[in-house]
Amino acid sequence: MSLDVREAVEREAAPRPRREITTAFVVSRIAVLAVTAAILLYAAPPLVAAGEWVWLGLLAAVSAAIGYLYLTRRFIPAKYLIPGTVFLVAFQVFPVIYTVTTAFTNFGDGHRGDKAAAVTAIQTGSVRQAPGSPEYAMTAALRGEELVFLLVDPATKQVSLGTGEGLTRLDGAQVGVTGKVLSAPGLSVLKAPEAAARGRQISAMSVPTADGVIKANGLSRAVEGKAALVYDAACDCVRGNGDTWTADEDRGYFVNAGGEHLAQGWQVNVGPDNFLRVLTDPTISGYFTGVLGWNLVFALASVLGCFAIGMSVALALHHPRMRGTRFYRIVLILPYAMPAFAMLLVWRDMFNRDFGLINQLLGAEIDWLGETMTARFGVILVNLWLGFPYMFLVTTGALQAIPRELTEAAAIDGATPWKAFRRVTLPLLLVALSPLLISSFAFNFNNYNAIALTTDGGPFPAQSPQVGSTDLLITYTFRLAFGGGGAQFGFAAAISVFIFAIVAVISAVTFRRTRKQEEVYA
């Protein structure tokens, strides 16, 4: 064996010095451990108080595993993979699973809790003050984190503590001349602004008594009354006001013999009803195709238009004879640097018929956002103005990665500049930018802000006031699910699944064509 070969073998066999731990690695390790400890300290006390020992044990096991992982010198790849996996599950996998599962429920206004919560809400909401029933001066207070009532009997000036368990005598409280409790042992009396901030919680609270319940009437007065509607567990029904409402487990409502139901219900699984409603309800499916068609036009026009403008500007600035390219690039990315939220509102005012800048410059009185064609043209124009700087930036980067020798070789072979661009530059750009174009299409397909902040879906035809001429599926869904009928989260989730399926199919087909293109130009 030659001397050079022997020295090379000895160098490979010799132990290598351990790499110095970088500052960034140490900081990231400390950050992960600090976040884990903070989550443990925040989540453990409530789990202990609630007796959730299984979840507490799982939390402790996960925290111990993360601590061991980041305190040992082993498992270097896992130290980088674990945070990414956690964020992937928390912000991608979990929202998708939660949306799909919600789509099979009736979750929404009137169906936010379980059956027990619905019964409580029905009974407490039907409390009416009986003639001659006691009235109290009321002061809201906190016992730890629990909201309580301090009730003062006007006749005896006796102070009582009202909680969800009942009414008990309270000694040692200081009462003002107006009947308001100024201080009480072991309690934190809420001031007027603090009580007003908890107004909804105060209104929902009830204190059971032997003859009924005590409910707040405003922020400084409480009355004792009786529930007009009472739940009967024997028949699983609600009785009162001369009628009976029986529990319908399929719909999550208490329903009477005439088919009418009480306003408060509970959350149940409804199977594919939300999806069938999208397909069979004429008020929804009748406009779905038209909205989908305009949605596709808007997304494609935004993506292709932004790409064409951005690529044209990038090609112009990429020319070797172009001067002042740095200045032009700074100016061209200004729309991308400005907050889109604010710029959309500015453009909406510029399109105003009476005092908008565009009509003033043109000397016209065009109702840009009041007619279907001009409104659609306007929202596409605004989206192009906001989006082309992004395409300009990414195209500039892709052009710099294409060797100039390729276009020079094409010119030597006799290709015109147009042919060199169409046969050499453009295919290579598409190979590099196709994933970005697909993601841009998915973004613009669900570009809620571009419509909501400019036209709000309008103009609205007289024959279909629930769907506007510029509505996208996402804005149409928002209006259907959260409009005048109240929040219908389950129904909104079902339409979101439809939108996800449409975008996923289009993206999958486009990615397949992109892979074929990559094989050709590889």
Side-chain angles (χ1 to χ4, degrees), residues 42-386:
Y42 176 80
L47 292 176
V48 172
E52 297 288 348
W53 307 115
V54 175
W55 287 104
L56 181 63
L58 180 61
L59 177 66
V62 172
S63 301
I66 294 176
Y68 172 75
L69 175 65
Y70 283 90
L71 291 176
T72 182
R73 295 181 179 274
R74 304 169 58 190
F75 312 114
I76 298 298
K79 289 180 172 62
Y80 295 94
L81 291 175
I82 293 298
T85 304
V86 170
F87 284 118
L88 174 66
V89 173
F91 297 108
Q92 293 292 334
V93 177
F94 175 75
V96 170
I97 295 176
Y98 183 75
T99 300
V100 173
T101 55
T102 303
F104 291 92
T105 69
N106 63 346
F107 181 44
D109 284 351
H111 300 277
R112 294 177 181 263
D114 56 11
K115 189 175 182 180
V119 170
T120 301
I122 291 171
Q123 293 186 143
T124 57
S126 66
V127 172
R128 300 293 181 269
Q129 183 180 6
S133 60
E135 296 186 8
Y136 302 90
M138 184 204 72
T139 304
L142 292 178
R143 185 171 62 181
E145 295 295 330
E146 179 189 6
L147 178 67
V148 296
F149 287 167
L150 299 177
L151 304 172
V152 180
D153 190 329
T156 64
K157 301 299 181 181
Q158 175 60 47
V159 181
S160 301
L161 176 66
T163 66
E165 287 74 29
L167 200 62
T168 58
R169 181 187 176 94
L170 181 64
D171 296 323
Q174 182 182 0
V175 182
V177 294
T178 61
K180 177 179 175 60
V181 177
L182 303 179
S183 63
L187 302 174
S188 176
V189 177
L190 297 181
K191 298 179 180 179
E194 297 172 333
R198 294 175 176 261
R200 183 172 298 180
Q201 187 180 359
I202 291 174
S203 299
M205 182 175 171
S206 60
V207 179
T209 64
D211 299 324
V213 294
I214 298 175
K215 294 278 292 182
N217 186 3
L219 297 178
S220 61
R221 182 171 171 266
V223 296
E224 183 175 345
K226 292 185 178 181
L229 300 176
V230 180
Y231 176 71
D232 187 352
C235 64
D236 194 16
C237 62
V238 174
R239 301 180 187 274
N241 297 331
D243 205 344
T244 302
W245 291 265
T246 305
D248 185 345
E249 298 293 346
D250 294 331
R251 298 171 57 190
Y253 275 123
F254 286 101
V255 186
N256 64 8
E260 299 176 346
H261 60 78
L262 297 175
Q264 184 64 44
W266 61 96
Q267 184 176 341
V268 295
N269 291 324
V270 295
D273 289 356
N274 289 324
F275 297 94
L276 295 176
R277 180 184 172 190
V278 176
L279 300 175
T280 59
D281 190 338
T283 61
I284 300 171
S285 60
Y287 305 105
F288 189 85
T289 304
V291 175
L292 175 60
W294 157 242
N295 204 152
L296 291 172
V297 170
F298 173 80
L300 289 173
S302 298
V303 174
L304 297 180
C306 289
F307 177 63
I309 298 173
M311 180 181 61
S312 301
V313 176
L315 287 171
L317 297 182
H318 189 66
H319 197 278
R321 295 182 180 180
M322 190 67 185
R323 296 293 180 268
T325 56
R326 181 175 300 177
F327 170 77
Y328 289 124
R329 286 170 180 170
I330 293 175
V331 172
L332 288 171
I333 65 172
L334 284 179
Y336 188 61
M338 295 179 180
F341 186 92
M343 291 299 99
L344 288 169
L345 297 177
V346 170
W347 273 97
R348 183 190 64 183
D349 291 339
M350 290 172 60
F351 279 122
N352 187 276
R353 177 179 180 177
D354 299 321
F355 54 83
L357 178 62
I358 296 178
N359 275 348
Q360 291 183 9
L361 292 177
L362 297 177
E365 293 185 1
I366 302 174
D367 190 5
W368 291 97
L369 304 182
E371 301 293 336
T372 298
M373 296 307 298
T374 55
R376 290 181 173 179
F377 170 78
V379 294
I380 291 177
L381 177 64
V382 174
N383 217 33
L384 292 179
W385 185 83
L386 289 173

